[in-house]
Amino acid sequence: MTPSPRSEGRVVALAGGVGAARFLRGLVGAVDPARLTAIVNTGDDREFYGVWVSPDVDIVTYTLADIVDRERGYGLTGDTFHVVDALEALGHETWFRLGDRDFAHCQHRTLQMRAGTGLAAITDGLRRRYGVATRILPMSEDPCPTRVELSGGVSVHFEEYMVRDGAPDDVERVDLSAAAAARPAPGALEALREADSVLICPSNPVVSIGPILAIPGVRDAIAASGAPVVGISPIIGGAPVKGPADRLLRGIGAEVSARGVAGLYTGLAHGFVIDERDAAQASDVEALGLRARAVDTLMRDVSVAAQLAETALELAESLR
Ligand code: GDP
Ligand code: CA
């Protein structure tokens, strides 16, 4: 693909896991990756089996390095699971599946953290080692676990909600207080302030984008950049492509629709890309004050993702 002239500017993308990773794989075809920074949610991070796991950071890294296991949707292609299987045989709970090479990757991060290296530098070292040209920044170096509050006063870590419990639908509240008390990772606010365009990936707005926006200073840095901010809907035809965004949106009292997600980004985004199947909602999105575009957003392959990225960049350009 011929890079477009608008790829001259600095682009910052706010990213979760799978939806973001698919989109970013297209975006690196439309923008010089050296001008691209992904600021990634760490609200899902947790220690498992003695190692620090950063699911969203890792799926973005593995996807951009083209080593992700596409079928499983997480982890490394061709990975084995001897370590978790052996731990299970020893009586450990192993509902969080972590492949052997993935385990080593997380162990490396943990050892570096213990040696005093910050998560941002560790993440940067890892992505370089895998040959990823895009800068990948965790949103914070502080632990900021997202907690999901369910009926009956039950509160669980996001990974317990999602993986262990299979994303039940009795969500009453999402607790982002840890993110709201965390410090932004070194370089994150600078990257946002210097951005020429800010993109909000088609990620879960509640538990992937929500935590990033909850980090103190992030919203102000985006506003200070003066850059056009364009989001992409993760909801197509009233349902998420994958994952529990419907349950979480309902849990915070938002409509499960493209315009419902747009409503969460008012006051922040200037433009919003929705799926062509939802074209009838374009006027509702515009009534919220966001310029709308309706295109194919179902990223079946990298060419759809690249087209979608082009549309988002064009929309940003038109809002400059
Ligand atoms: P997670 O951390 O792995 O759950 O990943 P994200 O938060 O980045 O992505 C989850 C969201 O991505 C879900 O709400 C999906 O609907 C959305 N998503 C996944 N694939 C696609 C796609 O091809 N197109 C669009 N528009 N959204 C997608
Ligand atoms: Ca995630």
Side-chain angles (χ1 to χ4, degrees), residues 16-18 41 43-44 55-56 59 158-159 162 204 207-208:
V18 174
N41 172 45
D44 300 359
D56 288 359
I59 196 146
F158 178 72
E159 296 298 347
M162 177 76 195
N204 188 313
V207 293
S208 293

Side-chain angles (χ1 to χ4, degrees), residues 176 190 227 258 296:
L176 302 177
E190 292 75 3
D296 183 9

Side-chain angles (χ1 to χ4, degrees), residues 275-296:
D275 194 86
E276 57 198 8
R277 298 157 192 84
D278 297 317
Q281 290 179 33
S283 55
D284 299 331
V285 172
E286 299 227 327
L288 291 165
L290 284 78
R291 186 90 52 84
R293 286 275 189 288
V295 296
D296 183 9

Side-chain angles (χ1 to χ4, degrees), residues 15-22 41 44 55-56 59 73 158 162 201-205 207-209 232-236 239-246 275 297-300 308:
V18 174
R22 287 189 183 151
N41 172 45
D44 300 359
D56 288 359
I59 196 146
F158 178 72
M162 177 76 195
C201 292
S203 287
N204 188 313
V207 293
S208 293
I209 304 300
I232 299 101
S233 178
I235 302 294
I236 302 180
V241 177
K242 195 172 164 280
D246 49 349
D275 194 86
T297 71
L298 187 62
M299 296 178 282
R300 278 168 252 92
L308 178 57

